[in-house]
Amino acid sequence: MNGSVYEFAPEERPSFPGSPYVPAHSLGRRFAYVGVGTLIGVCTTFANALVNVNAANLAGSLDLTLAQVSALPALYVALNATGNLTIVRARVRFGIPNLTVALIGIYACAAFFQLIAPCYATAIATRAACGLMAAGLTTLTIFYFLQVLPAAARPLGLIIGISLIQLGTPFARLVPLEVLATDHWHGLSLIELGVALMIAAAILAVPLPPTDRGPAFELGDFVTIALLVPAFVLLCLVLAEGRLLWWTDRAWLGWSLAASVAMIAAAIALERSRSRPLLYTDWIGRGDILAYFAVALLVRLALAEQTYGSVGFLTSGGLTNDQLHTLFGYVALSIILGMVVACVTTSEHSQRYQILAASLVIAFGAYLDGYSTSVTRPEQLYFSQSLIGLGSTLFIGPSLAYGFLQMMRQGPTHLVSLVVVFSTTQNVGGLAGSAILGSAQVLYARAHAASLAEHLVGADPSVLARLQQGAGAVSQAVVEPSLRGLQGAGLLGRALATEANTLAFDDVFLLVMWASLATAAYLAFQLVVEMRRPNPEPGAAQ
């Protein structure tokens, strides 16, 4: 198999253009493919997650505002969501090894320049290159696992590959902050460069089998790409910055959103007029496919309960990322457990049942979090967050497998459509989830603060006692009685803000619960309707 003398059998041919051949491998080589596939899967999102989960602390290291740092993960998401517009066909044109090494090389160069010249410009370039590379490595992870499994079990390769990628965020939360933020992101840049070189070494040491190559691009493809990439960059920037700068306070947010919608509409109109489109909009617009993508988007929005909700709640209480290591150790274990459960329970028609179960698991985890208090600490969230971690992999693997089965019924020409739209629901959906939950939390906190303030009457003995208690707490540092009174009032105000934030996060958790239950109810209704639908008569026209 190592030389050109190997003759591939017809059943070993790729299932779709750009994918590698799948010959029989020795046991040792199968283990090598598992090892490399696992390494790529875990590392695919790890480097970007380091920035994402430490954004507030990393901002000061480069003298940036939180809004500036928040734009970096948005660029990653935009390039990750749109990268496969180019990458899927580029594999056919240039081959998997050449394309993958090129993507990793671009990212490694960007990380190197960030290391020697740390500034906002090099950080932007690195995040954009990281998003593009991750788009290619996501599919590469799946390709490695498809080499290991027999034909009948290859849907498990989709589930395992896409599930491993979910480990990047909890693993990133296990890295101490001081390793990353010192000396202008020096530690972060070293880790990013090391990750790139490690992945390159692994895929060169254990390469995939070859694939068929040939012409792939048309002129119209580049026009579509030129419209959609900047459209998604603008959309993601709006989603990342809207809740920080507030949606109605910056005119450029509205103009950017309008320009994004216009460019997406133009791209759709162009694709509908082409005989060989890059995106098959007729298939994407079918009722059953739209419903599938809507469910995938809703569940991904709900999963922002973990990436934004629980972490935002704990950090608002004064905890730092370094105090959440044990919590996310449990989350990582639950993600692995969810992957195992998804693999064990999968079958030809099980995907929607698995997504239904995932929605219910996420709803239960959010319900438990919905009764948090201002003294809740990570220990009280171990179980609920583990449930949400389990639900994330019980959802994403079966969701991709279901979409892949629907795509294969139309033919491999629809692969780009599936990959791009699924990537959009998961990546842009995650960003949208954080934006929606973050905005809801701000509005809920304002409402709760106003409600609590109405009950703070100066003549109330309990309020007077609290003011005196606050004044007494600062009596050693503040001599002037009137200033002590003001300090006591300030302490009471901070206590009110803390309680309002806690109640707001509880409302957000319950909002996620209801959204997850609504998704589960829709899926259950859909399944009941299908079960009650009469089977066609034998011999009836198909």
Side-chain angles (χ1 to χ4, degrees):
M1 196 183 106
N2 294 325
S4 59
V5 296
Y6 184 85
E7 295 290 338
F8 290 98
E11 63 273 13
E12 296 173 345
R13 294 187 61 81
S15 301
F16 45 86
S19 64
Y21 282 82
V22 281
H25 297 289
S26 65
L27 182 62
R29 194 162 187 84
R30 289 175 188 268
F31 276 116
Y33 280 132
V34 169
V36 174
T38 302
L39 172 69
I40 298 172
V42 172
C43 291
T44 292
T45 57
F46 175 71
N48 183 70
L50 288 174
V51 176
N52 209 14
V53 304
N54 294 290
N57 296 300
L58 289 172
S61 184
L62 279 184
D63 298 324
L64 302 175
T65 65
L66 183 56
Q68 288 175 307
V69 172
S70 296
L72 299 178
L75 289 171
Y76 167 90
V77 168
L79 271 296
N80 187 270
T82 57
N84 280 298
L85 286 166
T86 307
I87 289 171
V88 173
R89 289 194 173 179
R91 287 195 190 98
V92 181
R93 178 66 182 85
F94 303 107
I96 293 174
N98 295 335
L99 178 65
T100 305
V101 170
L103 292 173
I104 295 174
I106 293 170
Y107 172 56
C109 289
F112 176 73
F113 282 113
Q114 183 178 247
L115 178 64
I116 62 175
C119 63
Y120 194 46
T122 54
I124 289 174
T126 305
R127 295 278 58 77
C130 185
L132 196 60
M133 182 192 71
L137 293 185
T138 298
T139 310
L140 195 70
T141 304
I142 295 170
F143 284 160
Y144 269 89
F145 281 98
L146 292 179
Q147 295 296 319
V148 178
L149 299 165
R154 281 186 190 139
L156 297 181
L158 293 170
I159 294 174
I160 296 171
I162 199 70
S163 297
L164 286 172
I165 292 168
Q166 311 311 306
L167 288 169
T169 297
F171 281 178
R173 290 197 178 275
L174 302 180
V175 179
L177 178 62
E178 60 268 17
V179 173
L180 306 173
T182 56
D183 195 18
H184 300 290
W185 294 18
H186 186 79
L188 173 64
S189 302
L190 281 175
I191 290 175
E192 294 208 74
L193 185 58
V195 165
L197 297 177
M198 184 169 57
I199 294 174
I203 64 174
L204 291 173
V206 188
L208 289 168
T211 188
D212 293 327
R213 293 171 58 178
F217 290 103
E218 297 181 1
L219 181 60
D221 296 342
F222 297 104
V223 179
T224 299
I225 292 167
L227 286 169
L228 287 179
V229 172
F232 274 83
V233 168
L234 291 175
L235 175 62
C236 292
L237 285 174
V238 170
L239 291 174
E241 305 290 1
R243 67 184 177 89
L244 297 174
L245 305 176
W246 203 246
W247 309 96
T248 57
D249 289 351
R250 298 289 192 278
W252 72 264
L253 292 172
W255 287 112
S256 297
L257 183 60
S260 173
V261 171
M263 285 188 283
I264 292 173
I268 291 173
L270 172 65
E271 290 297 283
R272 291 183 67 86
S273 66
R274 297 175 61 194
S275 58
R276 295 181 64 243
L278 189 62
L279 297 174
Y280 284 83
T281 55
D282 289 341
W283 178 72
I284 295 172
R286 272 175 31 187
D288 58 332
I289 301 300
L290 282 177
Y292 155 66
F293 285 127
V295 168
L297 179 62
L298 283 171
V299 178
R300 189 63 190 85
L301 292 174
L303 287 172
E305 196 273 9
Q306 187 163 82
T307 55
Y308 168 78
S310 61
V311 174
F313 167 70
L314 291 172
T315 53
S316 72
L319 276 71
T320 66
N321 199 45
D322 289 346
Q323 294 169 289
L324 307 180
H325 289 174
T326 305
L327 172 63
F328 281 94
Y330 281 112
V331 170
L333 291 174
S334 68
I335 286 174
I336 296 171
L337 176 61
M339 178 180 69
V340 173
V341 172
C343 289
V344 170
T345 59
T346 196
S347 67
E348 186 179 355
H349 303 291
S350 67
Q351 289 85 16
R352 282 184 293 177
Y353 292 97
Q354 291 169 310
I355 299 170
L356 170 61
S359 300
L360 293 174
V361 168
I362 294 168
F364 185 46
Y367 166 77
L368 295 176
D369 285 348
Y371 292 93
S372 302
T373 68
S374 57
V375 296
T376 297
R377 289 298 176 262
E379 292 79 9
Q380 284 81 55
L381 301 183
Y382 287 167
F383 181 60
S384 61
Q385 290 304 299
S386 295
L387 285 175
I388 293 175
L390 185 149
S392 69
T393 41
L394 190 56
F395 150 72
I396 195 165
S399 179
L400 178 59
Y402 178 80
F404 188 81
L405 290 173
Q406 300 303 309
M407 179 273 295
M408 289 303 292
R409 290 173 184 164
Q410 300 298 314
T413 55
H414 288 59
L415 178 63
V416 178
S417 303
L418 169 69
V419 173
V420 170
V421 181
F422 183 81
S423 178
T424 299
T425 62
Q426 299 311 297
N427 290 286
V428 181
L431 199 62
S434 296
I436 292 170
L437 297 188
S439 300
Q441 193 273 335
V442 169
L443 296 175
Y444 285 140
R446 290 174 182 172
H448 284 299
S451 177
L452 291 171
E454 289 178 359
H455 296 85
L456 295 181
V457 181
D460 189 328
S462 62
V463 174
L464 288 172
R466 185 64 182 265
L467 289 171
Q468 291 170 357
Q469 181 183 0
V474 298
S475 60
Q476 298 297 321
V478 181
V479 179
E480 178 63 36
S482 60
L483 292 178
R484 284 204 301 267
L486 290 174
Q487 290 286 342
L491 291 174
L492 180 59
R494 284 194 288 275
L496 183 148
T498 298
E499 193 62 30
N501 271 321
T502 300
L503 293 172
F505 274 110
D506 285 349
D507 288 341
V508 166
F509 297 144
L510 294 177
L511 178 65
V512 169
M513 179 198 74
W514 286 115
S516 300
L517 288 177
T519 304
Y522 170 75
L523 287 168
F525 172 77
Q526 204 177 44
L527 290 167
V528 168
V529 168
E530 284 194 10
M531 285 188 289
R532 298 186 54 150
R533 186 177 298 154
N535 294 322
E537 293 291 334
Q542 297 297 315

